[in-house]
Amino acid sequence: TDSILGIGLDMYLGSNSKFYKMLGLPQYKTLSMSREYLVADAMKGWLTSDYILNETKSNLLTQMVYYGKVLFALDLIFPEMEERLKIGYTSEQVQWCKNNEGEMWAFYVDEEVLFSSSHMEIIKYIGEGPFTRGFPENSPGRTGWWLGWQIVKSYMRSHDNVTLEQLFLEENAQKILTQ
């Protein structure tokens, strides 16, 4: 609500919780289900409830930049927090993204998916999963979030006069990517 943030503590019992195994939750999902991820997840929940993405008018790039803005806000709020906690990855998954950023961009461009408005196409790169479709199985899911974060970080480095509120109000993802 406008003044209450609810947190399901059952989502932070530890990645090896016997309850998650009993429920049959997949390992990729439970990797970030420990208390160290709670604060970042709570802030992502708050930000995405206050700055709502209009999915009906968006394409993959718009959604990538939207989640990049959310993660960038976490950079400002928690400058000392590890990247993996902000995005909900393991350290190895963050390193995979850093090592393969060029290949990821090449894939997104070669497959001509950046401007796709197809929900089925977008979910491959934005949605939860054991890996990102089209990438090796050791890649993390949601690589669209990670690339969007890199777009926003780059944009904000060259636009230091832009406030966080102005960033969230800027709806032109193409402009942010270009600049």
Side-chain angles (χ1 to χ4, degrees):
T1 68
D2 64 344
S3 60
I4 297 172
L5 175 65
I7 300 171
L9 296 179
D10 59 323
M11 301 300 289
Y12 301 96
L13 299 176
S15 59
N16 294 319
S17 170
K18 67 179 180 179
F19 300 110
Y20 298 152
K21 289 182 176 92
M22 288 170 44
L23 291 170
L25 294 178
Q27 183 182 14
Y28 77 85
K29 185 78 175 145
T30 62
L31 286 174
S32 63
M33 294 177 76
S34 59
R35 66 182 181 180
E36 63 186 347
Y37 291 92
L38 189 148
V39 173
D41 287 354
M43 292 304 296
K44 284 186 284 195
W46 170 62
L47 287 165
T48 57
S49 70
D50 274 14
Y51 297 97
I52 299 171
L53 171 67
N54 184 350
E55 291 185 28
T56 60
K57 293 164 74 177
S58 69
N59 58 30
L60 177 59
L61 178 62
T62 302
Q63 292 194 31
M64 289 169 64
V65 169
Y66 171 80
Y67 289 109
K69 291 174 183 179
V70 169
L71 294 169
F72 181 78
L74 294 184
D75 286 338
L76 297 179
I77 297 166
F78 305 113
E80 301 301 318
M81 183 181 281
E82 295 176 63
E83 290 176 315
R84 70 182 180 87
L85 299 175
K86 294 173 191 172
I87 195 166
Y89 282 174
T90 63
S91 297
E92 294 78 19
Q93 290 172 322
V94 168
Q95 194 57 51
W96 188 93
C97 288
K98 289 178 179 180
N99 292 344
N100 294 281
E101 182 174 358
E103 290 84 357
M104 285 193 290
W105 274 115
F107 176 86
Y108 277 64
V109 171
D110 290 347
E111 295 296 315
E112 299 178 355
V113 295
L114 279 178
F115 301 103
S116 174
S117 297
S118 163
H119 176 72
M120 294 305 292
E121 194 69 26
I122 292 170
I123 204 70
K124 292 178 189 177
Y125 311 106
I126 297 295
E128 294 281 343
F131 61 94
T132 299
R133 276 202 202 130
F135 294 165
E137 289 190 17
N138 63 332
S139 70
R142 295 181 291 108
T143 56
W145 284 43
W146 194 84
L147 287 175
W149 193 9
Q150 306 320 301
I151 293 168
V152 172
K153 282 196 259 188
S154 178
Y155 174 79
M156 291 303 283
R157 275 193 299 272
S158 60
H159 293 82
D160 56 0
N161 60 329
V162 173
T163 67
L164 186 60
E165 183 176 16
Q166 290 169 328
L167 174 66
F168 270 98
L169 293 175
E170 177 56 69
E171 294 182 1
N172 188 338
Q174 176 69 47
K175 173 185 169 186
I176 292 173
L177 173 65
T178 303
Q179 294 183 3

